[in-house]
Amino acid sequence: MSVHAAEAPTELSPAPTPPTELPASTPPTEPPARAPECASAESVERYLDVAADRLGLPDGIRTVVRTPEREVHVQLPIRLRDGRMHVFSGYRVQHNSTRGPYKGGIRYEPHVSLEEMRALAALMTWKTAIVNVPFGGAKGGVDCPAKDLDDTELELITRTFVDKIADVLGPTRDIPAPDVNTDAGVMAWMMDEYGKLHGDTPAVVTGKPVSLGGSLGRESATGRGVVHAYTEAARTLKLDPGATRVAVQGFGNVGSWTARVIAGLGCRLVGVSNTSGAIASDVGIDPHALVRHMAAGGRLVEYPDGAGAVGVQAISGEELLALDCDVLIPAALGGAINAGNVDSVRARLVIEGANNPITWQADEALGDRGVLVVPDVLANAGGVIVSYFEWAQNLQHFSWDEREVNDRLAKRMRNAYAEVAQRAGANRTSLRVAAYELGVERVLEAGRLRRHRGYA
Ligand code: NAD
């Protein structure tokens, strides 16, 4: 774990106090995840290079759009309840702002690093351009073990982080959102801390609680967007939802909403996993019953046979990826499908719910086998689309009902998918190559029109 606890007393340290017990509120249900996004940087750079080659981008411009415009790394000295001073690192990488203010999540995870933030910030630049929302790309995080911390500690980390990066944030500068291990509550603290410095500013973050200016429909938006991607891809593959077997890796925000919405179309959820393990059922698992089971404190892997499913078996995480299914939706972490396990994937359609869940090597192997992959920059863009709606509602001091949000989301996802698919069809490329080409073209056009140095 990358918490830098000072071992010996320093001027930052108090007299040592005995470590206290973790509070009862610490979620007992999941062991820590492994290092995520292991292959992010390499894959994102490669996808950009492929698009840049195809578009004939000169080296200079290529370097401009590859390199982040600004990187902020701050020290966060936080006294935790064990009495010690822990020095965390907080990052905000602002990759590109030619199309609008920087936009991207904040994650709390022990493995957060500058390199990973760079890759994920670039991914956001391409994603916002591909789905044509008026934002650039950013990503941030703190290398803290969020799952072992209580609310008081998380709040202290959040407020300290905002104090140190407030100068580069703002509704027309950079607008954070929730990501892994951060949620609406963390966004409320961020908004509140920023407001102390600059006056009340709801539009400085998205993914807030609805009662503080959050948008209806934001929580489910990424999962809903993944399902729109399924609907469009299913048309191409002539998959009938009533006969579609789906496996989902990850049952957090993206995975659980994807599972619930896709089940509503009549698809059968034949397997699902999280860090506690994986379960499968040939008959199908009711994702709503599974959500209830987990909300009551149950672990996913202990989901009982008979509670909304028959023939439920515990399987390994690797077996989940190799399940006999039509659609596989990795919605957990980066690098999940890689050179080591790609040959075992049996799905015809893989939809990237997570960011970078497939390494570029595995992506090529799937393409060679004729597996259709809907890339993250398109498939999981529902979150940033509804974040855009939330920001727009905040700026107008107005709110839309949930149906309006969902309808607008559906329209934007359909349009973006159609644009990417049409280009992929015309040029005989993968959806990913077409998506990156589209994103890069839009960023270049904005840079040129603004006459930003480096884009001429
Ligand atoms: P989350 O923390 O709510 O859920 C992550 C889930 O993945 C948890 O169920 C966790 O147990 C599971 N998981 C972690 N490691 C695993 C493993 N090895 N095997 C199986 N399951 C594992 O996070 P989230 O918000 O759902 O985000 C998931 C991914 O989607 C991330 O890559 C994130 O960047 C991306 N994403 C999220 C959003 C959003 O709106 N939340 C939008 C776009 C992209």
Side-chain angles (χ1 to χ4, degrees), residues 30 33-34 37 107 120 127 139 147 178-181 218-219 222 249-255 273-277 317 331-334 353-355 380-381 383-384:
E30 293 185 13
R34 71 174 171 80
E37 323 295 359
R107 63 174 56 181
L120 294 170
K127 191 183 299 182
K139 202 77 173 187
K147 290 192 172 169
D179 197 83
V180 176
N181 294 329
R218 173 62 185 85
E219 197 201 323
T222 307
Q249 183 199 41
F251 204 69
N253 174 285
V254 181
S273 68
N274 71 359
T275 47
S276 77
L333 72 172
N355 284 323
N380 71 28
V384 78

Side-chain angles (χ1 to χ4, degrees), residues 90-114:
Y91 304 97
R92 187 68 176 168
V93 173
Q94 298 178 326
H95 178 257
N96 193 287
S97 60
T98 52
R99 302 188 71 258
Y102 302 104
K103 186 86 190 83
I106 298 274
R107 63 174 56 181
Y108 289 172
E109 223 277 326
H111 307 283
V112 158
S113 69
L114 187 56

Side-chain angles (χ1 to χ4, degrees), residues 8 80 116 118 153 162 191 226 232 262 283 304 325 330 350 365 446:
L80 297 183
E116 178 200 343
R118 282 185 188 134
E153 292 166 327
V162 171
M191 178 190 90
V226 169
E232 299 305 310
I262 210 164
V283 183
C325 61
V350 181

Side-chain angles (χ1 to χ4, degrees), residues 160-161 208 231 276 363 446:
T160 310
F161 187 36
K208 299 176 289 292
T231 305
S276 77
D363 188 56

